[in-house]
């Protein structure tokens, strides 16, 4: 069995500053979070940017460039830039930073869907910034748009033209069939790195049966040509990724997906979650992949071929 790749998603665009003082916001904070996560054992850093003044999710290349070169210079970790950005951004905005940086990896969301964050607003009593409440509440009428045309555009502009490989975000069974469709069109090449996403309201729920069924169908559709990783939102994070590790999958942690380290306890850092899953992986008798092992497993072009 191969090494297990730990991805750490440092900040994302779901959680807002009022939810945790530990959510990295500024370029300094995102850099420190990334270096800490890599030191703790993350081979891949999944990256979003934020406006340093307001903490709002940002697609500005300038905000990404505040931390990308520093992460590249100070760590060997694979830098994976989100093309999901936030559902309120246009595709042009979502692609701007990754087109400029030509990273080794980028995320790619495999279907249009609801992405409902509004239940989280009820749990906050004191807001740090004016934008947070309407941002969360407005998600009851938000479409996270990832049409086949959008997907083809990302595959072309980042994959074909810039040599990026992808973290295929699949929130539902239907997304696996969309991925198969793009394989049949010859737009993607094996091995496919599929991220099964559980617990986003709008995608599949965090039931263990969903994971076994996703694996069963992915086996049928992709055979030996794929590997899977798991991320799960909130308190389902550790249980479901542990299940992934036990089933031969890879794992993703990070404050993008969950702000806690145990039920009711905020994680102090991304590194804390990486260390926890690393301990679990090793207790299962498995080894965590180094960044270069992850590059070999995923067939990446190499850090020297990016524009970061
Ligand atoms: N936020 C996660 C549920 C992306 O950045 O492309 C999925 C994600 C999407 O990471
Ligand atoms: Zn993300």
């Amino acid at each position: 069995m191969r090494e297990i790749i730990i991805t750490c998603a440092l900040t994302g665009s779901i959680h807002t500053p009022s939810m945790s003082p530990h959510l990295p916001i500024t370029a300094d904070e995102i850099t420190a979070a990334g270096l800490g996560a890599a030191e703790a054992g993350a081979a891949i850093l999944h990256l979003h940017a934020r406006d340093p003044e307001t903490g709002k999710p940002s697609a500005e290349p300038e905000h990404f460039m505040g931390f990308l070169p520093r992460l590249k210079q100070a760590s060997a970790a694979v830098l994976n830039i989100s093309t999901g950005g936030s559902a309120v951004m246009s595709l042009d905005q979502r692609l701007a930073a990754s087109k400029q940086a030509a990273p080794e990896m980028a995320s790619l969301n495999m279907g249009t869907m609801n992405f409902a964050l509004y239940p989280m607003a009820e749990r906050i009593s004191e807001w740090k910034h004016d934008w947070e409440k309407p941002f969360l509440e407005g998600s009851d009428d938000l479409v996270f748009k990832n049409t086949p045309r959008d997907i083809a555009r990302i595959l072309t502009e980042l994959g074909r033209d810039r040599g990026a490989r992808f973290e295929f975000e699949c929130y539902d069974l239907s997304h696996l069939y969309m991925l198969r469709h793009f394989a049949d069109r010859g737009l993607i090449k094996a091995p496919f790195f599929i991220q099964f996403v559980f617990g986003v309201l709008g995608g599949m729920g965090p039931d263990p049966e969903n994971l076994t069924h996703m694996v069963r169908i992915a086996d049928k559709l992709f055979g030996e040509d794929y590997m899977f990783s798991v991320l799960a939102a909130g308190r389902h994070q550790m249980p479901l990724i542990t299940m992934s590790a036990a089933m031969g999958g890879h794992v993703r942690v990070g404050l993008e997906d969950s702000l806690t380290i145990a039920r009711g306890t905020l994680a102090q850092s991304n590194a804390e979650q990486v260390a926890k899953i690393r301990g679990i992986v090793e207790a299962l008798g498995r080894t965590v992949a180094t960044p270069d092992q992850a590059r070999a497993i995923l067939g990446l072009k190499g850090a020297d071929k990016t524009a970061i």
Side-chain angles (χ1 to χ4, degrees), residues 13-14 46 48 82-91 94-95 107-117 135 138-148 150-151 154 167-171 175 197 200-203 231 252 256:
S13 62
I14 293 175
H46 169 109
H48 294 242
S82 168
T83 68
S86 157
V88 298
M89 298 168 185
S90 71
L91 186 59
R94 284 160 49 184
L95 274 170
S107 71
L108 178 43
N109 294 266
M110 291 310 295
T112 297
M113 58 187 286
N114 296 318
F115 210 109
L117 309 176
F135 170 80
S139 66
D140 69 346
D141 195 29
L142 185 64
V143 176
F144 185 29
K145 182 176 152 325
N146 299 288
T147 62
D150 294 336
I151 293 169
I154 296 171
E167 174 194 3
F168 293 106
E169 315 272 5
C170 292
Y171 303 70
H175 297 176
V197 181
V200 169
L201 187 57
L231 82 84
R252 172 169 138 173
E256 169 164 352

Side-chain angles (χ1 to χ4, degrees), residues 117-138:
L117 309 176
Y118 60 87
M120 288 195 286
E122 287 161 22
R123 291 182 237 139
I124 310 292
S125 47
E126 277 182 43
W127 298 94
K128 270 194 197 148
H129 302 284
D130 291 345
W131 63 269
E132 296 178 62
K133 196 165 185 259
F135 170 80
L136 298 171
E137 289 183 343

Side-chain angles (χ1 to χ4, degrees), residues 10 109 150 210 305:
L10 302 177
N109 294 266
D150 294 336
N210 285 338
K305 297 194 177 59

Side-chain angles (χ1 to χ4, degrees), residues 25-97:
I25 303 290
T26 65
D28 284 353
E29 288 167 353
I30 293 174
T31 305
L35 296 181
E39 177 79 13
I44 302 176
L45 303 175
H46 169 109
L47 300 162
H48 294 242
R50 297 211 179 227
D51 181 318
E53 303 299 324
T54 63
K56 197 172 178 176
S58 164
E60 287 300 322
E62 178 198 336
H63 293 148
F64 277 91
M65 289 306 167
F67 55 82
L68 288 174
R70 293 155 76 193
L71 286 175
K72 180 176 174 187
Q73 198 247 321
S75 123
V78 174
L79 304 184
N80 169 358
I81 300 184
S82 168
T83 68
S86 157
V88 298
M89 298 168 185
S90 71
L91 186 59
D92 280 333
Q93 290 173 316
R94 284 160 49 184
L95 274 170

